[in-house]
Amino acid sequence: MLGRSGECNVVIADPRVSRRHAMIRKQDDGFWFFDLGSFNGTYLNGSRVTAARKLNQGDVLDIAGNQLEFQQEGAALSGDNFDEDDFGASTIALIRSTPLIMLVSDVKGFTSLSEKLPPDDLAQIIGGWYASCEMVMAEHGATVDKFIGDCVLAYWTEVGPNQRLAALKAARDLVQACEDTYHSRRDLFESHDVSFEAGLALHIGKVAYGGMSQGEFTLLGDPVNLTFRLETLTRELGCGVVTSGDFVNDWPEGKDYCENLGVHQVKGRAQGTEVWAVRSFPE
């Protein structure tokens, strides 16, 4: 057990850490990490933990800014006498302000899908799409912030070339996930004369993110809104995937995959935004 309470095996004397923040549990196939619904969440190798995650040698856990490296062998730890009241009874919210890579993907023509498809079939399709999004984001080191109806918002906590490449690969796999969804229920889609596609946008900007309340972990800031606005341009511009200029302008290699579409107006903003269309994806 890891947390602020003196009853934990690993005591982290930090008021931003929940009293019983997380747990590492040995199972038949190795060691697994569980966040116990902590206020400020936990990151594993830079990605927020939203489900049980298997630990590997050298993995780095970030618990409210306190970093721990996982080693499978070592001396046993026991909790020291620690008075959690020294830090108050309530956990202090940890709000970070830093540049992030943001990804927004939204199912196209969802109103038409809702009107034409039987509700049970639509629920299964969207549920399967949710699951695909979560798997793709986890595979490429991103965190799903939330699903909003027919839309997903995800992010990377670092903005270097490797993470941008991962974001393009995630976009590629999400496009494929839509194609797979369509072909898995092709008879249903064709019988109702509908398709299953999603627009997608990538942007980099400085936002606030953290635990806004118990169980509510989210992103706040104008760059989040801009990413959603960019996604709506995919329909107007006839592009499946777009990025902002901020995503590619200081990343020369990224421009090999993109085409500059110039400056476009987005709803609610007086100043235009530079938009790039993703024309190819990394292998």
Side-chain angles (χ1 to χ4, degrees):
M1 193 74 68
L2 303 90
R4 197 173 78 237
S5 170
E7 299 174 353
C8 293
N9 305 100
V10 179
V11 177
I12 305 174
D14 187 325
R16 301 170 300 178
V17 176
S18 295
R19 289 190 289 275
R20 292 167 183 80
H21 195 104
M23 175 176 64
I24 295 174
R25 182 174 174 180
K26 188 178 188 301
Q27 300 185 171
D28 291 341
D29 58 346
F31 292 87
W32 286 76
F33 180 85
F34 302 80
D35 184 280
L36 301 177
S38 65
F39 192 94
N40 287 313
T42 308
Y43 287 80
L44 174 61
N45 300 327
S47 178
R48 189 162 68 90
V49 176
T50 56
R53 299 279 296 276
K54 188 176 181 180
L55 294 173
N56 297 304
Q57 188 83 352
D59 279 349
V60 176
L61 293 164
D62 187 317
I63 298 179
N66 301 276
Q67 293 196 336
L68 301 91
E69 182 176 312
F70 175 72
Q71 300 290 341
Q72 293 191 34
E73 296 181 0
L77 296 174
S78 60
D80 297 325
N81 292 327
F82 171 73
D83 186 358
E84 62 190 75
D85 291 334
D86 291 343
F87 290 90
S90 299
T91 304
I92 295 175
L94 173 61
I95 307 299
R96 300 171 173 90
S97 181
T98 185
L100 301 178
I101 298 173
M102 288 155 285
L103 178 151
V104 167
S105 186
D106 186 29
V107 175
K108 294 181 179 179
F110 187 71
T111 299
S112 178
L113 288 172
S114 300
E115 290 175 346
K116 296 181 178 181
L117 296 183
D120 289 347
D121 289 320
L122 181 62
Q124 290 178 10
I125 289 166
I126 294 300
W129 182 70
Y130 282 179
S132 296
C133 289
E134 289 184 325
M135 286 190 294
V136 168
M137 294 298 104
E139 180 180 352
H140 295 292
T143 297
V144 173
D145 179 74
K146 60 172 67 72
F147 289 101
I148 311 167
D150 58 330
C151 180
V152 60
L153 168 64
Y155 63 93
W156 286 258
T157 56
E158 297 182 21
V159 298
N162 289 340
Q163 287 73 31
R164 298 188 205 198
L165 199 63
L168 286 179
K169 291 179 180 180
R172 174 201 66 198
D173 291 351
L174 288 178
V175 170
Q176 184 61 50
C178 287
E179 294 180 6
D180 293 343
T181 298
Y182 178 82
H183 288 294
S184 69
R185 304 294 300 273
R186 185 168 185 165
D187 291 346
L188 176 68
F189 286 119
E190 288 185 346
S191 66
H192 291 85
D193 192 27
V194 291
S195 60
F196 192 83
E197 300 175 305
L200 194 148
L202 294 165
H203 177 47
I204 289 178
K206 188 175 183 179
V207 304
Y209 71 104
M212 304 303 170
S213 64
Q214 185 70 35
E216 287 291 328
F217 198 99
T218 192
L219 311 182
L220 292 174
D222 181 63
V224 181
N225 298 329
L226 178 56
T227 311
F228 278 94
R229 299 302 188 192
L230 284 170
E231 189 281 325
T232 64
L233 286 179
T234 60
R235 295 146 179 80
E236 176 185 329
L237 299 175
C239 303
V241 183
V242 300
T243 81
S244 66
D246 293 322
F247 184 83
V248 296
N249 280 336
D250 60 346
W251 182 38
E253 297 83 356
K255 294 180 180 179
D256 294 340
Y257 304 104
C258 304
E259 176 189 354
N260 193 331
L261 299 183
V263 175
H264 292 265
Q265 292 296 129
V266 296
K267 185 178 179 181
R269 296 177 69 89
Q271 189 173 5
T273 300
E274 186 180 9
V275 180
W276 292 67
V278 178
R279 298 304 190 192
S280 62
F281 295 104
E283 294 297 327

